[in-house]
Every structure is written in structure tokens, then in C-alpha cells.
Amino acid sequence: MTEQISFLKRASLTRHPLSQRLFKLMEDKKTNLALAADISTQREVLQLAEVIGPHICLFKTHVDILSDFTPDFGIELRKIANRHNFLIFEDRKFADIGQTVSLQYSGGIYRISDWADIVNAHIVPGPGIIDGLKVIGEPKGQGLLLLAEMSSAGTVAKGSYTRKAVEFAEQYPEYVMGFISLKKISDNPGFIHMTPGVKLRPGKDSLGQRYRTVDQIIGKNYSDIAIVGRDITHSENPLGQAVLYRERAWNAYTSSRKI
Ligand code: S5P
């Protein structure tokens, strides 16, 4: 097992400007918690960002869930992100050829590249998908995560598929920031690992989602960021629950990193 390195040190070990910023802001704010805001109205999503913003490093959106989307959404969310110092991750899961994803990223109704810092992509089409997104995102200082593993039951993203994601990422260190994965899958300290499917207790939902605890994914599996959705957004006290997750995720990080 290689040494587990602190976020601060890792900021100096990546050339990716946005990864440097994310490592530093996690260390400054003392949070490695990301919120998954799978909510269907702009007002509720923005309100959540405002309330939970001080406790997170990253706010994850699914903009195509919104029933009342207007271009103001991105503008308003950016203002909140700047005020509370977190990054915006639009969980678009691109999966097409390079030319098509470049249009999906920059155009359409959502114009994702106007307001999101980070997007993600499946690697199923091959590295052309990274080239297509990079054309849009790199000049704007944005970053990409590759879906190397998934939290859902029966996923085929494992074994050689996961290793391929690492191989692709290594070819694009100036644009790919890291992975969506269930554990640390690369020893390159510049890559950031983010893990969804997190709850206070292990379990599953009725549609194939599987949950692990913060201690499992960060303490034992050496992932970096816990992405928590319904266990915060659907709790009776989202702010209190976010504060609890923040403490647990940060403790799991500090007690498992050495230098
Ligand atoms: O493998 C994955 C990848 C992602 S990005 N499994 C996931 O659940 N996600 C996303 O994380 C999913 O789209 C959702 O937005 C969030 C998990 O939400 P929760 O309510 O189950 O915590």
C-alpha cells in the first residue's frame, strides 16, 4: 500500500489548476463533503446551495431534473458558489462521440459549460469523448471526471473497464481531474476520487442504488470525497445532517492520511 498523502501536499503534485484549487479549498474549509442536489425546482436547489454551501467542497447538480429551468439558474448558482467557495459539478454523464458531447456540453438549453466547473463522462465511446469535452472545458479552466466504477448493483464498470478509465485519465492529466469510483483506483496523487452511494448505514434503495458508509469509502477505501444525496436532502434537518456528514468525512480523511 502506498503512502496516503494529504490534500495540501497533493495540491502541489498536480498540474491541473482546478484540482489544485479543489485540494486547497478542501484543506481551507476542512470539508471533503459533496452534496448531490437531486431536487426538481430551481428555488429549492438554490436554497439548498445557500444553506449547505458553507459545509461542502462541491455541489453536484442534475440540471435536467429541473422542471422550471431558466438560464438564471446557472448565474444564481455561480454567485452562491463564489460566496461560499465550493465548486459546481454537473453530473451529466456524457456518453457519446466527441463531436456530439462538445455540442451537448456547450449548447442546448442548459449551456452547461457556462456555469459548471466539473462534468463527468462514461468511457464507453473511447478517448474521443475526452477530446470532445476538452475542446470546450480546458480553455475555461474546467475539469472532467471519468466514471470508472458505479455504486449501482450489477454495474459492469469494474475490472478491466475500471483500469481502462485510469489509462485514459493518465493520457489527459491537464484536463481529467480524477474519477467517480468506489475506492482509490490510481496511485497518482494528482487524481481525485469521488464516491457516491453514501449513507450513515450501509444499505440499498428500491432501484439498485447501494450505500456504503463514509468510514468505508474514505477511511478504508481511501476515496477523497463523499457525495451524499438523499440522506441529507430528504432528512428532516438537512443542515444538521450535512454538518454531521462533514465531520465524519473529514475525520475519516484526517485519520487515514499520513503526510
Ligand atoms: O455510480 C454512481 C455515480 C453517480 S454520479 N452512483 C450514483 O449514485 N451517482 C449519483 O450520485 C446519482 O446520480 C445521484 O445524483 C447521487 C446519489 O444520490 P443518493 O440520493 O443515492 O445519495
Side-chain angles (χ1 to χ4, degrees):
M1 175 64 68
T2 52
E3 201 103 50
Q4 303 306 320
I5 309 173
S6 71
F7 296 149
L8 202 58
K9 180 117 195 280
R10 285 164 67 189
S12 64
L13 297 174
T14 170
R15 282 181 294 133
H16 197 306
L18 194 59
S19 298
Q20 286 173 358
R21 203 177 130 205
L22 181 54
F23 279 133
K24 283 188 190 142
L25 94 75
M26 287 197 282
E27 206 73 64
D28 285 351
K29 279 180 85 172
K30 305 221 173 311
T31 177
N32 53 340
L33 174 65
L35 183 70
D38 292 5
I39 310 279
S40 61
T41 69
Q42 293 193 70
R43 192 182 57 81
E44 285 173 293
V45 173
L46 294 173
Q47 209 168 39
L48 206 54
E50 184 63 54
V51 173
I52 312 292
H55 301 286
I56 55 174
C57 60
L58 198 80
F59 190 80
K60 190 175 83 58
T61 55
H62 276 298
V63 73
D64 54 0
I65 288 178
L66 293 175
S67 56
D68 57 356
F69 175 84
T70 66
D72 279 348
F73 175 73
I75 297 168
E76 292 307 314
L77 187 56
R78 272 255 61 93
K79 283 188 203 158
I80 300 170
N82 294 344
R83 192 156 58 241
H84 294 307
N85 194 22
F86 60 77
L87 301 187
I88 302 170
F89 166 21
E90 164 56 26
D91 187 3
R92 173 63 179 73
K93 295 187 180 74
F94 292 104
D96 215 318
I97 59 166
Q99 165 68 11
T100 303
V101 296
S102 73
L103 296 172
Q104 291 172 323
Y105 186 13
S106 59
I109 297 170
Y110 302 124
R111 304 187 71 88
I112 295 165
S113 64
D114 283 356
W115 50 270
D117 297 297
I118 301 172
V119 289
N120 54 353
H122 290 292
I123 60 157
V124 108
I129 189 169
I130 304 175
D131 292 315
L133 294 168
K134 183 179 150 164
V135 171
I136 305 295
E138 197 189 15
K140 290 171 172 262
Q142 298 169 354
L144 177 67
L145 299 169
L146 299 180
L147 284 136
E149 292 179 320
M150 292 197 69
S151 58
S152 37
T155 175
V156 295
K158 58 185 182 182
S160 60
Y161 185 93
T162 302
R163 286 193 291 280
K164 207 67 186 168
V166 176
E167 217 177 275
F168 285 1
E170 278 161 1
Q171 290 164 29
Y172 297 84
E174 70 294 344
Y175 182 53
V176 175
M177 298 173 73
F179 309 98
I180 297 291
S181 61
L182 303 178
K183 57 184 180 297
K184 182 180 170 192
I185 54 170
S186 165
D187 281 332
N188 182 332
F191 287 134
I192 304 175
H193 296 80
M194 307 192 190
T195 304
V198 179
K199 262 192 157 179
L200 292 178
R201 278 172 212 84
K204 53 188 179 174
D205 74 3
S206 60
L207 298 172
Q209 176 69 302
R210 289 175 305 182
Y211 291 106
R212 293 163 181 78
T213 65
V214 164
D215 284 336
Q216 278 174 320
I217 59 144
I218 292 175
K220 290 200 184 68
N221 290 355
Y222 299 120
S223 182
D224 299 311
I225 294 178
I227 301 176
V228 183
R230 283 166 284 179
D231 214 22
I232 291 177
T233 57
H234 290 45
S235 87
E236 274 177 26
N237 175 5
L239 176 59
Q241 188 83 333
V243 169
L244 177 66
Y245 266 108
R246 175 194 188 166
E247 283 169 11
R248 294 215 177 164
W250 193 252
N251 282 343
Y253 158 68
T254 52
S255 54
S256 61
R257 310 298 142 120
K258 310 282 183 292
I259 52 175

